[in-house]
Each structure stands twice: as C-alpha cells, then as structure tokens.
C-alpha cells in the first residue's frame, strides 16, 4: 500500500477522554462505528461464548483501530429464542454475557478510551416470557391485555405472514384468542397504540440513557405499527402492506427523538426492514426533516449490490437523492443478519483486494461508516454443517436457507487454538482460514486488510473533506470505475476505485502537483492527467488548486 501515513498509524493521539470533551451533539456524523455481535467477539471465561468482559479486554484493540463508537447486538436478559432479539427484561443483562456491573464497567472503560457505546433496541416485540406478556395472556380483562395485538375470533383475522412467510397469528389456548408475531411465536408484537405501554417502554429507554449509554440502533423500526383495521395484505404488492410502514410510526419516532433530545449527545440509527433490492425513499422517510425523527437510517441497497461500479453508484446516489436536506447518510456493507460482504463477490477470487477496495469506499463516502466485526481483517462467511447450526431459521429451512450463523462466527484474533477467541470450544466453528486471517498476523503485515483499515480511519480523522465534505461523482457510467470528489472549503479529495480485474485508465481532473495520499497497491502510475489503476486498486488523491 502507498500512503502518506505510517503502515500502522497511531490513532491514540487523536483521541481524548470523553469526560473532558466539550459537548458535541453531531459527533456521530464524523465517527467510525463498529458493530459487535457479543456472542462472537471475545470469550473471557472459557465457555466458548463471547461476553461483556471479553469486550472490555479488547477495548485497546478498538481504540488502536480508531473506533469512535460500538454498537452491541442485544445483551439484555433473554430466553434466546432468536439470538437475544426476544427480550424478557429490558433493564437487565443476560447472565450469558455477564452482569450489570460488567456492563457498567464496559461503559466506564470505553468512555475513558473515547469510545461510545450504542445498544440495540427492540421496540417491535418482546419475548413471550416478558412479564408484560405473561400478564397480557393471563386473562381477557388484565390491565396489560391491550399491550399486545390480540384478535378475538375462531380464526386469524387476515393473511399476514412472519418475515419468514409462516402464519403470523398464534392461537393462545389460555384466553382462546390469537396474538400477532412478526417473527417467532415466542416474540409477540407490542401494541404501540396503547399509551400505557408506550410510556412504560419509554421509561426503559430512559433507564439506559440515564446510565450513560450513547444511543440506540433500532431493530426493524418500520414494523412497530400495524393497520388498526387488520386488513389483509395485497398478494402482489411489495410496498402496499398493512403490517408495517404505517404512517403512525413516524409519530412514535418523533416522540422517541424528543426523548433523546433531552440528552444532547445521544444518537440513533434505524434498521428499516425492506426486501431486495431496497427502497431508499422509504428508508429516508424515517429521518423526517432530518432532525425530528432518527439521526441515521441504514439503506441496505448496498448489501444487495453485486461487484459492479455502476450498480454501486446507482445505489449510493439513490440514497443521497432520497435524503431530506438536513438528513445524514450512513453506510454498512455487512451485518449480523445479511452476512459478510466478501461472500457476495466470490470470496476465493481476489478477496483481499476486494476487501481493501470496499474499505476505501466505506471510509471515503459522505456519511457515517459502520464496520461489522471481522470485516476489518477480511473475514468471510463459514459453511456450517447442519448439526452445528444454532440459528433457528437455519434449522427450519435447511438446506434452502442455512440461517444467519455463517456471518456470526467467532472473531479471529490469532492462529492459536480457539483463534484467540476462547480457551474452550467455540459456540460456532471458526473459519478454516483463521490461522492466516487473524488480527495478530495482519498487524505485522503492512499490506494487510487490517492495516488498510487502520490507515484509512486515521486518514479520515485527519482530513476534514473525508469527514464532512460534500460529494460529487466524476465517473459513474462504467461497470469498472467509480470515482468521486469530496470537498470542503478549499480542500478537495479525489477517490478512484477500480472494480475490474484488469488495468484501467482513468482520465480525471488532477491539476499539476496533485498528491497521491493513499493507494491499496504499491504505486499508481500517472501520465499527465491519466491515472493507470492496477486491478482492484483504490487510490485517494489530494487535489492541488
């Protein structure tokens, strides 16, 4: 790699203790987020399952990488019918991950290192073991009966299906009625039309904000409101459906934002459930006017892109075009549900080169980047044998759909037994490549994917145009080349990405004296205004005026 920065950049000097930092309500716009699936990040006690103390043990790694904030998938108390997204107590930590004292220590130590902590927030449903639902199903006249969505009758009221196309109405033999569940039957949906439930839920949110967490990622937030008439969904429509995307959702989110605004430095990012190929306009609508609903929302169009520069351009530009004038974008290429990005592009063919190019794109687009744990070392999905699958969806639909475990495997820290993740038997098998693809080995390799991320994160922190600048695409029509300029005040940065396996020539606006400040390859040859890009090369230029 070519860079104006040292191969392993020291980002520690760029950080400071949050307790001594002036209030910055827009910190999330220039931050780098890191998504941790706690069960798979680091095991501290040898039981093969990642935990909160394991995350504490790896905070120095995150600080050295340059991470500003972490988002934790759920660590609340849960029966684990759906990996912790079935919550039985919103105010407690599940013993699988540790204790509340462990979590408070994580908050304290993370904040001391300048790292903020964002929790997952599931507003659509609870566990059927949550005390609210236990009361709700106990009798027809229980005060919490209407806290969930019930239907009286001898059959389900409509054709609604779960997200995996099963019947979504579950008959309850105790009260002889049906309740609605968007996911498993153990995850009954809350009734957000009930004011008492809403107040109680908002108090749960306030509980964590008062403790000092820095915000929330909101799970499937566009699904929390359902049609009050319980009308059946049209059979041939992707968008006109009655069990999600209801207008009243925006009212709930405005109230949610008012609560967050009482804590000036808190932030939020929403997951909007959409089917491929995505829907940027729907996604952007959950930002409201840009400051009255969510702070950020994920557009998963990029998670559905194939390896093609033109398709990435159209997905990115459509997202930008859909944003309100005050809206701020964010980007992720992988997550705990969709798996790892490299597997969409043929993981055995030029995996490292593609991982580095994606890193450059993620760190130089206008918007807040979210790194999924392990992507920074080039981890890929694991083909897990049927007998080792833990994800319930994988068990239900194997072999047509093998579930989500393949993208949730343990973090690969070193080449030793257990990959540095655990001293015991890991809850999911490690990738067979962990002895080559791991943090320890890649730290020592100047040209590794990990050191590419380290350099890019530092570059982003040092160059205002990459954090806050506007973006203008300069090459969009090619399936091979994507290029754009980031600019702020008198600073301009040109980014050029070659998606091709061949050398490509790029003719751009590069005045004399323009400086190459980063390349994923050892050198980039220029001839006047021509840039000769190596296969899969990504380069960043400081444009001189």
């Amino acid at each position: 790699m070519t860079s104006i920065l040292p191969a392993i950049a020291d980002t520690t000097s760029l950080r400071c203790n949050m307790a001594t930092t002036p209030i910055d309500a827009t910190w999330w716009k220039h931050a780098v987020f890191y998504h941790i699936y706690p069960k798979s990040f680091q095991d501290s006690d040898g039981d093969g399952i990642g935990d909160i103390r394991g995350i504490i043990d790896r905070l120095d790694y995150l600080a050295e990488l340059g991470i500003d904030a972490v988002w934790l998938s759920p660590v609340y108390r849960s029966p684990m019918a759906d990996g912790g997204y079935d919550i039985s107590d919103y105010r407690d930590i599940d013993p699988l991950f540790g204790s509340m004292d462990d979590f408070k220590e994580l908050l304290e130590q993370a904040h001391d290192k300048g790292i903020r902590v964002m929790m997952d927030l599931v507003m659509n449903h609870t566990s059927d073991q949550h005390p609210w639902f236990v009361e709700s199903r106990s009798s027809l006249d229980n005060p919490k009966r209407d806290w969930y969505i019930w239907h009286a009758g001898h059959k389900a009221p409509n054709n609604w299906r779960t997200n995996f196309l099963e019947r979504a109405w579950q008959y309850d033999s105790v009260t002889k009625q049906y309740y609605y569940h968007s996911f498993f039957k153990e995850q009954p949906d809350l009734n957000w039309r009930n004011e008492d439930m809403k107040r109680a839920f908002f108090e749960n949110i306030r509980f964590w904000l008062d403790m000092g967490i820095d915000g929330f990622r909101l799970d499937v937030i566009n699904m929390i409101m359902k049609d009050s008439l319980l009308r059946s969904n049209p059979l041939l429509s992707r968008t006109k459906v009655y069990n999600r995307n209801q207008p009243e959702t925006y009212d709930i989110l405005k109230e949610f934002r008012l609560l967050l605004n009482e804590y000036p430095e808190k932030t939020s990012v929403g997951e909007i459930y959409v089917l491929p190929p995505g829907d940027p306009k729907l996604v952007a609508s959950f930002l409201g006017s840009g400051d009255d609903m969510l702070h950020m929302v994920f557009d998963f169009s990029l998670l559905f892109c194939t390896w093609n520069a033109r398709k990435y351009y159209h997905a990115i530009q459509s997202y930008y075009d859909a944003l309100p004038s005050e809206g701020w974008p964010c980007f992720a290429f992988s997550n705990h549900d969709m798996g790892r990005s490299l597997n969409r592009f043929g993981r055995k063919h030029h995996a490292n080169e593609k991982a580095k190019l994606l890193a450059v794109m993620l760190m130089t687009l206008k918007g807040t980047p979210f790194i999924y744990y392990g992507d920074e070392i080039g981890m890929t999905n694991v083909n897990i044998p049927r007998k080792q699958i833990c994800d319930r969806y994988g068990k239900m639909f194997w072999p047509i759909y093998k579930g989500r475990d393949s993208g949730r495997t343990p973090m690969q820290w070193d080449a030793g037994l257990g990959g540095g993740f655990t001293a015991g038997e890991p809850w999911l098998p490690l990738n067979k490549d962990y002895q080559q693809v791991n943090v320890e080995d890649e730290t020592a390799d100047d040209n590794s994917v990990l050191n590419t991320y380290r350099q890019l994160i530092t570059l982003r922190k040092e160059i205002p145009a990459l954090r806050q600048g506007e973006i203008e695409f300069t090459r969009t029509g090619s399936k091979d080349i994507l290029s754009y300029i980031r600019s702020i005040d008198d600073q301009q940065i040109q980014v050029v990405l070659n998606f091709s396996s061949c050398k490509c020539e790029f003719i751009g606006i590069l005045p004399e004296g323009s400086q190459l400040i980063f390349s994923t390859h050892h050198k980039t040859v220029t001839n006047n205004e021509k840039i000769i890009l190596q296969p899969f090369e990504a380069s960043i230029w400081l444009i001189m005026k």
Side-chain angles (χ1 to χ4, degrees):
M1 291 178 291
T2 301
S3 175
I4 60 171
L5 303 171
I8 302 177
D10 180 12
T11 60
T12 307
S13 62
L14 300 174
R15 314 178 67 81
C16 56
N17 190 308
M18 289 165 51
T20 61
T21 305
I23 289 177
D24 178 9
T26 62
W27 64 269
W28 46 274
K29 289 187 175 182
H30 0 100
V32 177
F33 283 75
Y34 190 90
H35 175 191
I36 292 176
Y37 194 71
K39 203 172 179 181
S40 295
F41 194 59
Q42 179 64 59
D43 170 25
S44 70
D45 58 11
D47 66 356
I49 296 173
D51 47 47
I52 292 171
R53 298 218 64 84
I55 299 172
I56 294 172
D57 292 342
R58 295 296 185 178
L59 286 175
D60 284 343
Y61 166 77
L62 297 174
E64 291 166 5
L65 182 58
I67 299 303
D68 300 294
V70 295
W71 148 33
L72 306 178
S73 285
V75 291
Y76 309 97
R77 188 175 288 271
S78 167
M80 298 293 164
D82 187 21
Y85 284 89
D86 51 315
I87 298 168
S88 58
D89 189 342
Y90 283 84
R91 299 195 187 194
D92 199 8
I93 300 298
D94 195 280
L96 186 73
F97 301 114
S99 67
M100 185 64 79
D101 286 341
D102 293 331
F103 184 82
K104 290 177 179 179
E105 184 178 343
L106 170 62
L107 269 183
E108 181 180 0
Q109 291 203 29
H111 286 170
D112 284 347
K113 297 178 187 297
I115 300 173
R116 301 176 192 256
V117 179
M118 175 182 285
M119 296 186 76
D120 226 310
L121 184 64
V122 184
M123 296 172 65
N124 183 68
H125 52 266
T126 70
S127 166
D128 63 352
Q129 296 183 32
H130 193 289
W132 293 353
F133 189 71
V134 172
E135 287 191 50
S136 181
R137 79 189 310 179
S138 65
S139 68
L140 295 175
D141 58 356
N142 187 277
K144 290 185 174 62
R145 181 64 174 182
D146 197 39
W147 286 30
Y148 293 82
I149 301 172
W150 291 93
H151 173 71
H154 298 294
K155 63 178 182 179
N158 56 40
N159 66 352
W160 294 356
R161 296 273 172 168
T162 69
N163 281 15
F164 277 79
L165 303 180
E166 293 186 303
R167 292 182 179 180
W169 291 94
Q170 178 67 30
Y171 182 72
D172 176 50
S173 59
V174 176
T175 56
K176 314 298 184 187
Q177 290 188 356
Y178 288 85
Y179 67 86
Y180 178 70
H181 56 97
S182 296
F183 296 90
F184 294 126
K185 63 181 177 64
E186 292 87 355
Q187 295 167 284
D189 282 30
L190 288 162
N191 178 16
W192 278 92
R193 300 180 189 279
N194 184 288
E195 290 295 323
D196 291 335
M197 188 284 295
K198 182 173 67 176
R199 279 192 294 270
F201 201 102
F202 275 34
E203 285 306 307
N204 287 336
I205 295 172
R206 191 181 294 277
F207 171 84
W208 293 104
L209 294 173
D210 288 341
M211 187 180 295
I213 73 152
D214 301 288
F216 295 99
R217 176 264 189 184
L218 283 71
D219 185 61
V220 294
I221 193 60
N222 60 315
M223 298 179 66
I224 64 172
M225 294 295 290
K226 286 78 177 174
D227 178 50
S228 61
L229 300 178
L230 303 183
R231 287 172 285 186
S232 287
N233 287 330
L235 296 179
L236 300 178
S237 175
R238 290 181 67 251
T239 56
K240 183 61 176 177
V241 291
Y242 292 107
N243 58 340
R244 59 181 181 272
N245 305 333
Q246 297 301 297
E248 298 92 337
T249 306
Y250 303 123
D251 298 328
I252 299 295
L253 290 181
K254 288 178 180 178
E255 293 185 60
F256 171 80
R257 181 61 179 264
L258 286 173
L259 173 57
L260 254 63
N261 286 348
E262 296 179 28
Y263 305 78
E265 291 193 80
K266 310 304 183 184
T267 193
S268 58
V269 59
E271 178 198 28
I272 312 303
Y273 176 80
V274 293
L275 298 173
D279 188 345
K281 290 183 179 178
L282 173 66
V283 165
S285 70
F286 288 89
L287 293 170
S289 63
D291 61 1
D292 63 346
M293 283 195 241
L294 298 177
H295 296 76
M296 299 176 282
V297 285
F298 290 119
D299 173 31
F300 291 151
S301 299
L302 271 69
L303 276 73
F304 303 133
C305 279
T306 55
W307 189 259
N308 181 291
R310 186 186 299 115
K311 290 182 179 180
Y312 268 104
Y313 162 69
H314 285 301
I316 296 164
Q317 189 62 61
S318 295
Y319 182 30
Y320 286 149
D321 289 344
L323 294 172
S325 58
E326 299 299 319
W328 186 256
C330 64
F331 293 98
F333 293 151
S334 306
N335 68 28
H336 62 297
D337 286 329
M338 305 292 290
R340 300 194 178 275
S341 56
L342 287 181
N343 288 78
R344 298 196 298 275
F345 313 130
R347 60 178 178 170
K348 295 181 180 179
H349 303 289
H350 308 286
N352 277 4
E353 292 93 334
K354 291 177 180 179
K356 293 176 186 178
L357 186 148
L358 287 175
V360 173
M361 184 160 59
L362 182 63
M363 293 299 155
T364 59
L365 286 171
K366 178 186 176 182
T368 300
F370 282 73
I371 302 169
Y372 185 46
Y373 84 98
D375 274 9
E376 78 275 16
I377 60 172
M379 281 179 61
T380 54
N381 292 344
V382 177
N383 187 16
I384 299 174
R386 184 180 185 182
K387 64 181 180 180
Q388 292 182 276
I389 290 175
C390 295
D391 182 23
R392 186 164 163 184
Y393 287 123
K395 294 178 180 179
M396 289 169 58
F397 297 107
W398 194 94
I400 298 172
Y401 175 65
K402 297 182 180 180
R404 299 162 294 182
D405 287 343
S406 62
R408 299 176 174 181
T409 55
M411 180 68 175
Q412 298 162 200
W413 295 103
D414 59 43
L417 191 65
F421 164 71
T422 182
E425 182 70 23
W427 76 283
L428 284 177
L430 288 157
N431 196 315
K432 293 179 181 178
D433 67 7
Y434 82 92
Q435 293 184 319
Q436 295 79 42
V437 179
N438 62 70
V439 170
E440 184 176 71
D441 286 1
E442 292 195 24
T443 297
D445 178 1
D446 289 352
N447 293 314
S448 67
V449 175
L450 176 58
N451 280 321
T452 297
Y453 269 93
R454 284 177 170 166
Q455 292 180 29
L456 288 167
I457 292 171
T458 302
L459 201 64
R460 181 183 175 89
K461 294 179 185 298
E462 292 185 341
I463 298 178
L466 291 180
R467 295 194 311 276
Q468 301 164 283
E470 294 302 315
I471 188 168
E472 178 185 0
F473 287 91
T474 56
R475 182 77 172 268
T476 63
S478 166
K479 69 178 182 178
D480 296 330
I481 300 291
L482 180 65
S483 68
Y484 43 90
I485 292 175
R486 299 292 310 279
S487 58
I488 189 170
D489 299 327
D490 60 349
Q491 185 182 73
Q492 285 192 319
I493 300 293
Q494 172 88 57
V495 180
V496 188
L497 310 172
N498 179 16
F499 283 74
S500 171
S501 59
C502 303
K503 284 186 180 181
C504 288
E505 179 182 292
F506 172 75
I507 301 176
I509 305 172
L510 284 175
E512 185 176 352
S514 295
Q515 182 184 4
L516 174 69
I517 58 175
F518 181 87
S519 171
T520 53
H521 289 57
H522 289 292
K523 64 178 181 178
T524 298
V525 180
T526 62
N527 179 14
N528 296 327
E529 291 185 341
K530 296 180 181 179
I531 302 174
I532 307 300
L533 293 163
Q534 300 300 312
F536 304 111
E537 181 179 0
S539 61
I540 306 174
W541 298 76
L542 175 64
I543 297 177
M544 305 303 293
K545 295 185 177 180

